[in-house]
């Protein structure tokens, strides 16, 4: 998927979270609710997240330079990593701190019904943002489960938005439950417990995203069916007999680099070898459209392969 689908999901989340953050801060000021304040920080962090993701997409589109000869595609991975490492972690630490403080120094809520109304509206807006992210992710997800999609996709923004929006919806439910229990029992400690739970939720999302984005930032290659299609497409059985070795790496979500050494039938002239290499490149790009850069090294065919091509 191109960056367009990701951008649509990011913009929807940005608009929703900006409006929600303002409403939540107003509600927190009126009610004094720690859960509402934690959710306000949560939405503010989410808004900053989307802004950083858009910056990453913009910088990834820059043309290659002499210093960055393979382009700037990894900007999308870097900014997604920053989102996970900094903003989610900051939101998590604030929520945990505020929750512990509210539990130790519980204070009665003022006009809690205001918080309830704001949170219900926020659920509707977050639901719209989440539905947009799901719709834009569906073509890329294919037959994979949502969990496997988040763990294996090379697109960094959609998992961030999906986890962010699903986490926001769960956080809103927690905040509603905390304020509701405070109203029913008259015990403001429930509000502090809700605040702490929201902080822990953000922390769990942060850890998951940090692990996934770190892997993408370091560099991941083609695996599974995608790898097999590359290997199979390199061989034509007449001029290229087998693949000696292959190395692949994603320079960006839609930029896969392939470097391979292939065994050429002995006796071919330079022109025939060049034609065989060109044909192999065309077959690979047809089989795996995300292949961008490709470097093929011809070698003489030998009875025994020099190295295994297994991934």
């Amino acid at each position: 998927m191109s960056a367009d689908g990701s951008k649509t999901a990011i913009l929807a989340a940005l608009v929703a979270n900006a409006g929600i953050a303002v409403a939540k801060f107003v509600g927190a000021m009126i009610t004094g609710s720690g859960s509402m304040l934690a959710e306000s920080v949560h939405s503010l962090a989410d808004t900053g997240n989307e802004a950083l993701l858009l910056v990453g997409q913009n910088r990834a589109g820059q043309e290659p330079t002499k210093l960055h000869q393979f382009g700037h595609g990894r900007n999308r991975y870097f900014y997604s990593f920053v989102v996970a490492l900094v903003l989610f972690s900051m939101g998590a630490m604030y929520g945990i701190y505020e929750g512990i403080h509210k539990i130790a120094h519980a204070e009665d809520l003022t006009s809690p019904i205001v918080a309830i109304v704001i949170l219900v509206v926020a659920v509707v807006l977050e639901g719209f943002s989440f539905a947009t992210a799901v719709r834009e992710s569906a073509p890329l997800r294919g037959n994979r489960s949502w969990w496997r999609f988040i763990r294996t996709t090379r697109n960094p923004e959609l998992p961030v938005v999906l986890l962010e929006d699903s986490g926001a919806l769960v956080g809103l439910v927690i905040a509603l439950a905390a304020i509701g229990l405070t109203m029913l029992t008259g015990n403001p400690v429930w509000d502090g417990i809700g605040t702490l739970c929201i902080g822990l939720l953000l922390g769990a999302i942060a850890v998951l995203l940090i692990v996934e984005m770190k892997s993408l930032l370091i560099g991941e290659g083609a695996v599974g069916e995608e790898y097999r299609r590359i290997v199979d497409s390199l061989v034509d059985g007449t001029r290229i007999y087998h693949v000696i070795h292959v190395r692949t790496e994603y320079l960006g979500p839609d930029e896969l680099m392939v470097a391979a050494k292939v065994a050429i039938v002995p006796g071919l002239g330079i022109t025939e070898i060049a034609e065989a290499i060109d044909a192999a490149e065309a077959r690979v790009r047809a089989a795996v459209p995300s292949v961008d850069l490709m470097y093929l090294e011809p070698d003489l065919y030998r009875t025994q392969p020099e190295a295994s091509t297994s991934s």
Side-chain angles (χ1 to χ4, degrees):
M1 174 181 286
S2 67
D4 292 340
S6 300
K7 187 169 291 185
T8 300
I10 295 170
L11 288 173
L14 177 64
V15 172
N17 283 315
I20 292 170
V22 173
K24 286 178 180 176
F25 271 116
V26 172
M29 291 174 62
I30 294 173
T31 63
S33 167
S35 295
M36 179 64 83
L37 187 57
E39 273 298 302
S40 303
V41 174
H42 182 175
S43 293
L44 183 62
D46 287 350
T47 305
N49 293 349
E50 272 84 56
L52 279 176
L53 293 177
L54 289 174
V55 171
Q57 284 198 346
N58 180 63
R59 295 193 174 181
Q62 295 174 337
E63 293 297 322
T65 63
K66 290 183 178 180
L67 183 61
H68 300 98
Q69 299 178 11
F70 290 110
H72 299 81
R74 280 209 175 101
N75 271 296
R76 292 173 67 180
Y77 297 149
F78 171 75
Y79 281 92
S80 297
F81 182 76
V82 170
V83 164
L85 183 63
V86 180
L87 295 180
F88 267 122
S89 299
M90 288 176 60
M93 288 188 290
Y94 177 81
I96 293 170
Y97 166 79
E98 185 67 16
I100 293 173
H101 176 75
K102 286 290 184 180
I103 292 172
H105 306 282
E107 298 178 4
D108 291 332
L109 303 183
T110 304
S111 303
I113 193 64
V114 174
I116 296 292
V117 172
I118 292 174
L119 290 173
V120 169
V121 173
V123 168
V124 174
L125 293 175
E126 286 288 1
F128 163 75
S129 175
F130 181 68
T132 301
V134 169
R135 184 177 66 251
E136 297 298 334
S137 302
L140 192 62
R141 179 175 72 98
N143 296 324
R144 290 175 290 179
S145 67
W146 285 108
W147 175 249
R148 183 162 179 78
F149 167 70
I150 289 171
R151 295 299 307 273
T152 60
T153 183
R154 300 313 194 282
N155 184 302
E157 296 94 0
L158 289 175
V160 170
V161 175
L162 282 168
L163 286 174
E164 182 182 278
D165 288 345
S166 58
L169 287 170
V170 173
L172 288 168
V173 172
I174 293 173
L176 280 168
I179 294 174
L181 286 170
T182 299
M183 293 172 63
L184 288 173
T185 64
N187 187 352
V189 168
W190 286 109
D191 185 50
I193 293 173
T195 307
L196 178 61
C197 289
I198 291 169
L200 293 173
L201 172 67
L202 283 174
I205 294 174
V207 170
L208 175 59
L209 284 176
I210 286 170
V211 171
E212 293 304 316
M213 295 308 143
K214 170 181 172 288
S215 180
L216 289 171
L217 189 59
I218 290 173
E220 292 185 352
V223 295
E225 179 61 27
E226 188 175 53
Y227 180 89
R228 286 189 290 272
R229 288 202 305 269
I230 292 172
V231 173
D232 292 344
S233 299
L234 285 170
V235 177
D236 62 10
T238 57
R239 295 176 295 186
I240 300 177
Y241 268 29
H242 67 79
V243 179
I244 298 172
H245 61 71
V246 179
R247 298 292 182 269
T248 64
E249 185 167 321
Y250 272 92
L251 304 175
D254 308 306
E255 303 170 60
L256 177 61
M257 180 174 67
V258 176
K261 190 174 185 178
V262 295
I264 301 289
V265 177
L268 294 182
I270 293 177
T271 301
E272 292 174 300
I273 293 174
E275 290 174 349
I277 295 297
D278 290 343
E281 289 184 358
R283 290 193 301 271
V284 171
R285 288 194 168 94
V288 183
S290 60
V291 172
D292 182 21
L293 299 174
M294 192 182 311
Y295 303 97
L296 301 183
E297 177 188 353
D299 196 1
L300 288 178
Y301 171 73
R302 296 174 176 82
T303 303
Q304 296 296 327
E306 293 182 9
S308 171
T309 60
S310 62
S311 59

